[in-house]
Amino acid sequence: MEKKELQRIHLIATGGSIMHNLALALHDKGLNVTGSDDEIFEPAKSRLAAAGLLPAQEGWFPEKLDATIDAVILGMHARPDNPELLKAQELGLPIYSFPEFIYEQSRDKQRIVIGGSHGKTSITSIIMHVLKTIGRKFDYAVGAQIEGFDRMVKLTEDAPIIIIEGDEYLSDPIKRVPKFHLYHHHIAVISGISWDHINVFPDPDMYRDQFRIFAEMTPKAGTLIYTKDDEQVQLVAVPRNPADINYIGYGVHDHTIKNGKTILHTKKDGDIEIQLFGEHNLRNINAAKEVCKKIGVKAHDFYEALKTFKGAAKRLEKMGETDTTVIFRDFAHAPSKVKATTEAVKAQYPQRQLVAALELHTFSSLNKNFIPQYAGALDKADEAIVYFNPKTIEHKRMEMLSEDELKAAFKNPNLKVFTDSEALQQHLLNYNWQNANLLLMSSGNYNNINMEALTQAVLKA
């Protein structure tokens, strides 16, 4: 597919987080963009409407497709029997998954792909923030909203590089291969491997194998940057042909913590106070630094830019604070992410009580065969809470969880389990928040709890 030939593009499942951002990015380039979806939520709904891209009706309309469409982009949440997909196949239209399309649009660029079970959004975000701060031209595709960027996707003709968050989840309902296998990277990062997505990778070996394939796709003269302290990563990132590929291992950045502040120690720039914290983020910083070094960013410029980086949305995002309490929201939901985030907040404020509330929302986290992976994940919390919505389990047609099963899985007899979001809110409001922090972890929304209202109420409690 030649980029110059594109005029009309249709997106199937255009309301998704990354898909609607792609629609906006293509619209920004002056292309004729249409799309459909059976459900479109905020903020995608308002953003598409503002650009004149919101479908007139929710649902699938095969009549939207005809032979004049140059490309169809298929979102992962569409089904294989989607009426619009079937029509596109019948017409013989070019059909691309999101990662395939991004690759086609960046064939002439240096492609930097950040992979890993955890940390990939933060690493990608740091790199983007640094490049923007120093005035470098670059394209990008990232899975979270980042301060200072209007879009989560940018595609231009003149940027020489593209920074891509490389998800290991499946690319689309037809080919069913991991997204990060389809970007064909020049520089790759593997930030950690911890079994996830049990619905498509039913055992840890199969999951790890996807990263092995990713690592082995590194081309001659390419670079593989990897966390050197992760045993699972070591199994896939062992240098096999170091004469052809540049292997770079990284660890935790040298630092100290003082009064809830993280101070980086650097060789030439001295001590630097940053807004990020947590051992996992100190690894993420080093990964981003190695990427930036490979593309010509000086260490001084990297650290200067890092000072102003606040983090990606919902990644240890500070919702509110008083002199004695801080409330954080985090996207953490997989076991390794939950453990790292909980430990980070406790280590940053060791003298404060920590209440950590985790929502089980994903297929993996609600699966009885998977939840033992959470053993010890909330141990650093002074009060550990797990919430799940029984309706979510019913909707996913899964077996109901019991309080005793969750306590056994987390290996925490004091675990508090809630299945009613209002009861959870009331419990939090009744807690004594003097010298205590709250950490809310979820990829969902606790059955539509108003986080801003809850934050204000807790801070006043």
Side-chain angles (χ1 to χ4, degrees):
M1 179 180 67
E2 294 292 336
K3 289 183 287 184
K4 63 183 180 182
E5 295 178 355
L6 291 179
Q7 295 296 327
R8 292 194 63 202
I9 299 177
H10 183 77
L11 285 75
I12 300 177
T14 193
S17 176
I18 197 74
M19 286 288 282
H20 92 269
N21 273 278
L22 176 58
L24 294 169
L26 295 174
H27 177 71
D28 289 345
K29 291 182 70 174
L31 301 180
N32 184 342
V33 180
T34 58
S36 298
D37 212 325
D38 56 355
E39 286 185 316
I40 303 178
F41 300 105
E42 295 295 352
K45 193 168 188 175
S46 294
R47 299 182 80 201
L48 288 172
L53 299 179
L54 184 67
Q57 292 178 275
E58 291 185 349
W60 311 113
F61 304 93
E63 60 273 18
K64 288 184 178 181
L65 291 102
D66 58 41
T68 66
I69 290 178
D70 299 310
V72 173
I73 305 173
L74 179 62
M76 181 56 213
H77 297 295
R79 297 180 182 275
D81 62 353
N82 181 282
E84 294 187 7
L85 172 58
L86 296 178
K87 180 64 175 294
Q89 291 171 326
E90 177 188 327
L91 291 171
L93 299 176
I95 301 171
Y96 300 89
S97 64
F98 175 86
E100 287 175 315
F101 187 80
I102 294 295
Y103 168 67
E104 291 292 343
Q105 292 292 293
S106 60
R107 277 181 176 269
D108 300 330
K109 303 177 188 294
Q110 184 181 37
R111 293 178 297 281
I112 300 162
V113 180
I114 316 302
S117 304
H118 44 258
K120 53 185 175 287
T121 301
S122 294
I123 295 169
T124 307
S125 303
I126 294 169
I127 297 167
M128 289 170 55
H129 177 80
V130 170
L131 294 180
K132 181 180 180 182
T133 301
I134 66 174
R136 286 277 294 271
K137 287 184 178 180
F138 65 100
D139 288 348
Y140 56 84
V142 63
Q145 196 65 50
I146 302 170
E147 184 173 328
F149 293 85
D150 293 333
R151 306 273 191 261
M152 294 160 60
V153 178
K154 184 178 182 181
L155 296 170
T156 64
E157 300 300 326
D158 58 344
I161 61 175
I162 182 168
I163 316 298
I164 303 170
E165 179 182 343
D167 193 353
E168 72 273 19
Y169 198 71
L170 300 182
S171 61
D172 66 77
I174 301 177
K175 301 176 187 66
R176 297 183 66 79
V177 298
K179 294 175 185 175
F180 65 179
H181 290 178
L182 300 173
Y183 294 118
H184 304 286
H185 61 268
H186 299 104
I187 298 174
V189 174
I190 300 181
S191 62
I193 301 175
S194 182
W195 184 32
D196 198 0
H197 309 308
I198 190 175
N199 52 323
V200 291
F201 306 118
D203 66 73
D205 291 342
M206 180 184 294
Y207 179 75
R208 185 181 63 236
D209 205 41
Q210 309 313 309
F211 289 89
R212 177 190 60 76
I213 295 169
F214 176 59
E216 292 178 354
M217 292 180 74
T218 306
K220 285 188 177 183
T223 299
L224 179 61
I225 299 168
Y226 62 96
T227 177
K228 60 186 179 183
D229 302 321
D230 186 310
E231 292 182 2
Q232 293 298 306
V233 173
Q234 290 174 6
L235 293 174
V236 306
V238 175
R240 291 179 173 82
N241 47 349
D244 295 336
I245 297 172
N246 187 21
Y247 292 86
I248 301 173
Y250 66 89
V252 176
H253 199 293
D254 190 21
H255 70 285
T256 55
I257 300 172
K258 292 182 179 179
N259 301 319
K261 302 292 184 182
T262 298
I263 312 296
L264 297 186
H265 305 311
T266 71
K267 291 181 179 179
K268 295 183 179 181
D269 289 88
D271 290 350
I272 295 172
E273 183 178 320
I274 60 171
Q275 299 181 57
L276 298 181
F277 67 88
E279 184 175 291
H280 62 305
N281 275 326
L282 292 161
R283 292 182 189 277
N284 295 338
I285 288 168
N286 264 349
K289 181 164 67 73
E290 293 295 346
V291 170
C292 288
K293 183 178 178 181
K294 287 299 295 182
I295 57 177
V297 178
K298 295 178 180 179
H300 172 77
D301 293 336
F302 177 84
Y303 287 120
E304 281 298 309
L306 188 63
K307 291 178 182 178
T308 58
F309 181 67
K310 297 180 180 179
K314 299 183 182 179
R315 269 66 177 184
L316 273 177
E317 179 181 356
K318 188 180 290 185
M319 298 289 290
E321 66 179 317
T322 64
D323 292 339
T324 62
T325 303
V326 183
I327 300 176
F328 294 100
R329 174 172 60 174
D330 197 273
F331 192 72
H333 52 90
S336 60
K337 300 174 186 176
V338 171
K339 186 173 188 294
T341 301
T342 304
E343 290 178 351
V345 177
K346 187 61 180 179
Q348 199 74 5
Y349 301 90
Q351 303 306 318
R352 292 186 186 179
Q353 294 284 298
L354 173 60
V355 178
L358 167 67
E359 178 182 15
L360 302 181
H361 178 72
T362 65
F363 187 97
S364 294
S365 67
L366 293 168
N367 188 299
K368 288 191 176 185
N369 295 322
F370 185 83
I371 56 173
Q373 300 293 317
Y374 285 95
L378 292 173
D379 281 0
K380 290 297 183 180
D382 298 285
E383 177 165 306
I385 298 172
V386 166
Y387 164 81
F388 70 90
N389 187 342
K391 291 183 180 179
T392 302
I393 293 183
E394 292 172 6
H395 178 72
K396 294 180 184 291
R397 299 178 181 178
M398 301 175 71
E399 190 176 349
M400 191 59 64
L401 298 170
S402 72
E403 182 173 336
D404 288 341
E405 286 171 327
L406 288 170
K407 288 182 177 180
F410 279 79
K411 293 192 181 302
N412 189 336
N414 298 318
L415 185 73
K416 289 183 169 60
V417 178
F418 289 86
T419 57
D420 183 305
S421 59
E422 291 186 5
L424 171 61
Q425 288 187 80
Q426 195 58 51
H427 175 76
L428 294 175
L429 292 175
N430 290 336
Y431 193 83
N432 179 7
W433 291 105
Q434 289 299 311
N435 203 35
N437 291 338
L438 173 60
L439 171 60
L440 298 162
M441 294 176 284
S442 177
S443 60
N445 56 23
Y446 295 88
N447 194 29
N448 296 311
I449 285 180
N450 185 322
M451 291 296 180
E452 287 72 19
L454 175 62
T455 296
Q456 295 306 313
V458 165
L459 294 179
K460 292 177 181 178

